[in-house]
Amino acid sequence: ALVPIVQPPVIKLLTTKKERLIRMPYKPHSVSKLAKILFPIIITAITGFVSPKSVVLIGFLMFGNLIRECGVLDSLSETAQKVLANLVTIFIASRMKAEDFLTLDTLMIIGLGLIAFIFDTAGGVIFAKILNLFLPKGKKINPMIGAAGISAFPMSARVVHQMGL
């Protein structure tokens, strides 16, 4: 939720106005249905080899992608994305007590997450700037694009898009 507040100052601090004005051509291309279905399966398998303890989290995330992309389970996909997510959030929130949630440990975790988010944004922007050092003059990329692919992807992409406009 802090994406629109945190990202713009970090991006502006690390880029010049000239860099933010770099225009990049958009070349749309389609991804095959097979690739969209195989992606979550392959990611889950790779995760299982690299970090077995994270398979539950990544597996459920990828399962959501799989049911959305397979096209057979549209009503289940729609329910999982909207109604079920809201019900689970309400259920968990209704059982949470302030004295259990507002602890020093929780506030430190939130603070560390904020710091990680700032470094994630900065790292993406800096990486794009480093890429520009090696790209020819007509092929430069807008460094803001590096901030669009962070963990809060949909919202950060919208923020970067707005800044680019």
Side-chain angles (χ1 to χ4, degrees), residues 130-149:
I130 291 170
L131 282 177
N132 279 343
L133 296 174
F134 302 102
L135 292 172
K137 189 165 180 87
K139 301 276 186 180
K140 302 279 187 198
I141 61 172
N142 191 317
M144 291 191 303
I145 202 77

Side-chain angles (χ1 to χ4, degrees), residues 32-107:
S32 72
K33 186 137 181 107
L34 179 64
K36 289 179 182 180
I37 291 172
L38 287 177
F39 176 77
I41 296 167
I42 292 170
I43 292 299
T44 303
I46 292 171
T47 301
F49 290 122
V50 174
S51 177
K53 288 186 178 185
S54 68
V55 169
V56 174
L57 177 63
I58 299 299
F60 272 109
L61 177 67
M62 292 297 120
F63 180 68
N65 287 335
L66 183 62
I67 63 172
R68 184 182 67 231
E69 295 303 334
C70 74
V72 177
L73 305 167
D74 287 334
S75 64
L76 180 60
S77 176
E78 188 76 20
T79 301
Q81 289 178 39
K82 296 184 177 137
V83 178
L84 186 61
N86 291 338
L87 284 173
V88 170
T89 303
I90 290 169
F91 177 72
I92 291 172
S94 70
R95 301 192 40 88
M96 187 63 74
K97 297 178 188 157
E99 54 270 5
D100 294 337
F101 182 71
L102 292 175
T103 64
L104 182 60
D105 288 343
T106 306
L107 295 175

